[in-house]
């Protein structure tokens, strides 16, 4: 490795040349080899380092090795200054080995959670691969997120926004699921008619939401398909086997009424789960009878026999 100190030239007149010559004579022809030259023009800095990380499995098993390939590239047209390459890993997947695919990288530090290495330069247009071996322990939880952070830095980098990347995998065995049961005035009325409710009387809907899977659900929400019915929930996170009760209120309208509640949640894997449950009631109009001994809103055998 050499360090270029010549100034850049916009007229392409400043060149640097490296000459290599091996002294030997061809025993067949009796000729000697000539020198090899590498002339180049000194350009204005256009270094653009970038990094990418690729896991060997998106869903690694517990008690298994997980291999990462981290690629460091120079997308620019000039060689970089000294580059520092680092990776950080979660304690749940300790680093057990590192192999670069090219010479020139010098290890600065290596621990179960960190790797740091430097190279005097990353040539323009060049890419280098780093092969990291990590270990997923046997007690890793299904659906657990494991993320690797990789970063490359060098003085004069023209685009710092592609210098770092975070890539994640999830421990296999995840089985996310959610269940909802909806009650109208205390009844699980999946089919009509449901409870009879006097028109204008309060209606209460209760939504029992349960995490029936084996991973934690976040961003849990409950929605109702009828306008004006807005369920309120005490939390938006449900761990495995957790249950919460949401509620909404309204006023009974005349006739057969139906609405459906839907619960949704997001597991560690980016695939939302959902479940729905219907409920019903029948809104009825009651004739109010005013008679001695009866209060408004009550009925009696006499009132039923004398409409």
């Amino acid at each position: 490795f050499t360090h270029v100190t010549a100034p850049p030239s916009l007229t392409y007149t400043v060149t640097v040349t490296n000459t290599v010559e091996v002294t030997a004579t061809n025993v067949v022809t009796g000729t000697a080899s000539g020198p090899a030259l590498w002339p180049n023009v000194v350009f204005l800095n256009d270094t653009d380092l970038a990094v990418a990380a690729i896991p060997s499995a998106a869903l690694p098993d517990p008690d298994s090795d997980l291999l990462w390939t981290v690629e460091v590239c120079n997308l620019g047209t000039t060689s970089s200054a000294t580059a520092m390459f680092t990776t950080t890993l979660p304690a749940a997947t300790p680093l057990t080995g590192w192999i670069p695919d090219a010479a020139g990288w010098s290890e600065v530090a290596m621990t179960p959670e960190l790797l740091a290495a430097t190279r005097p330069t990353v040539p323009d247009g060049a890419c280098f691969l780093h092969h990291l071996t990590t270990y997923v322990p046997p007690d890793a939880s299904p659906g657990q997120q494991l993320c690797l952070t990789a970063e490359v830095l060098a003085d004069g980098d023209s685009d710092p926004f592609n210098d770092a990347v975070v890539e994640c995998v999830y421990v296999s065995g995840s089985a996310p699921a959610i269940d909802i049961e909806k009650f109208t005035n205390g009844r699980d009325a999946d089919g009509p008619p449901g409870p009879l409710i006097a028109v204008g009387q309060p209606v209460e809907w209760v939504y029992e939401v349960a995490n029936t899977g084996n991973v934690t659900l976040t961003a849990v929400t409950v929605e109702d398909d009828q306008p004006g019915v807005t369920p309120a929930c005490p939390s938006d996170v449900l761990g495995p086997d957790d249950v919460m009760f949401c509620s909404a209120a309204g006023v009974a309208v005349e006739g057969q009424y139906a609405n459906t509640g839907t619960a949704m949640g997001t597991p560690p894997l980016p695939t939302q789960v959902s479940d729905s449950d219907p409920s019903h009631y029948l809104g009825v109009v009651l004739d109010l009878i005013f008679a001695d001994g009866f209060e408004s809103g009550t009925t009696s055998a006499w009132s039923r026999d004398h409409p």
Side-chain angles (χ1 to χ4, degrees), residues 111-158:
T111 70
E113 300 177 22
L114 173 70
L115 170 66
T118 62
R119 198 175 197 276
T121 183
V122 178
D124 53 293
C127 289
F128 296 101
L129 300 180
H130 303 266
H131 306 284
L132 284 66
T133 303
T134 63
Y135 176 65
V136 182
D139 59 350
S141 302
Q144 181 179 353
Q145 186 182 57
L146 306 172
C147 297
L148 174 145
T149 301
E151 186 174 14
V152 61
L153 299 173
D155 290 339
D157 189 356
S158 62

Side-chain angles (χ1 to χ4, degrees), residues 54-155:
I54 303 171
S56 60
L59 296 169
D61 295 322
D63 192 21
S64 68
D65 287 333
L66 173 63
L67 306 180
W68 290 89
T69 300
V70 181
E71 185 178 45
V72 175
C73 293
N74 183 353
L75 308 179
T77 58
T78 59
S79 298
S80 75
T82 299
M84 169 72 79
F85 159 70
T86 61
T87 59
T88 54
L89 302 105
T93 51
L95 177 66
T96 58
W98 165 61
I99 301 175
D101 73 340
W105 291 95
S106 299
E107 183 179 301
V108 175
M110 180 176 168
T111 70
E113 300 177 22
L114 173 70
L115 170 66
T118 62
R119 198 175 197 276
T121 183
V122 178
D124 53 293
C127 289
F128 296 101
L129 300 180
H130 303 266
H131 306 284
L132 284 66
T133 303
T134 63
Y135 176 65
V136 182
D139 59 350
S141 302
Q144 181 179 353
Q145 186 182 57
L146 306 172
C147 297
L148 174 145
T149 301
E151 186 174 14
V152 61
L153 299 173
D155 290 339

Side-chain angles (χ1 to χ4, degrees), residues 1-224:
F1 295 99
T2 61
H3 182 69
V4 178
T5 59
S9 173
L10 298 178
T11 58
Y12 304 102
T13 57
V14 179
T15 61
V16 292
T17 303
N18 181 28
T19 302
V20 177
E21 185 173 5
V22 177
T23 302
T25 300
N26 189 310
V27 296
V28 176
T29 63
T31 59
S33 61
L37 304 179
W38 178 84
N40 212 327
V41 177
V42 180
F43 294 96
L44 289 171
N45 176 63
D46 183 41
T47 298
D48 182 10
L49 297 182
V51 65
I54 303 171
S56 60
L59 296 169
D61 295 322
D63 192 21
S64 68
D65 287 333
L66 173 63
L67 306 180
W68 290 89
T69 300
V70 181
E71 185 178 45
V72 175
C73 293
N74 183 353
L75 308 179
T77 58
T78 59
S79 298
S80 75
T82 299
M84 169 72 79
F85 159 70
T86 61
T87 59
T88 54
L89 302 105
T93 51
L95 177 66
T96 58
W98 165 61
I99 301 175
D101 73 340
W105 291 95
S106 299
E107 183 179 301
V108 175
M110 180 176 168
T111 70
E113 300 177 22
L114 173 70
L115 170 66
T118 62
R119 198 175 197 276
T121 183
V122 178
D124 53 293
C127 289
F128 296 101
L129 300 180
H130 303 266
H131 306 284
L132 284 66
T133 303
T134 63
Y135 176 65
V136 182
D139 59 350
S141 302
Q144 181 179 353
Q145 186 182 57
L146 306 172
C147 297
L148 174 145
T149 301
E151 186 174 14
V152 61
L153 299 173
D155 290 339
D157 189 356
S158 62
D159 183 7
F161 295 102
N162 57 1
D163 291 350
V165 66
V166 178
E167 292 292 342
C168 300
V169 298
Y170 300 86
V171 178
S172 66
S174 172
I178 196 170
D179 179 76
I180 184 173
E181 295 294 332
K182 183 179 178 183
F183 302 87
T184 299
N185 282 9
R187 286 184 54 183
D188 184 11
D190 287 349
L196 273 62
I197 306 175
V199 173
Q201 293 300 303
V203 183
E204 181 186 31
W205 293 282
V206 173
Y207 309 78
E208 181 181 1
V209 183
N211 181 348
T212 54
N214 63 355
V215 294
T216 297
L217 300 176
T218 59
V220 177
T221 58
V222 173
E223 297 178 355
D224 199 284

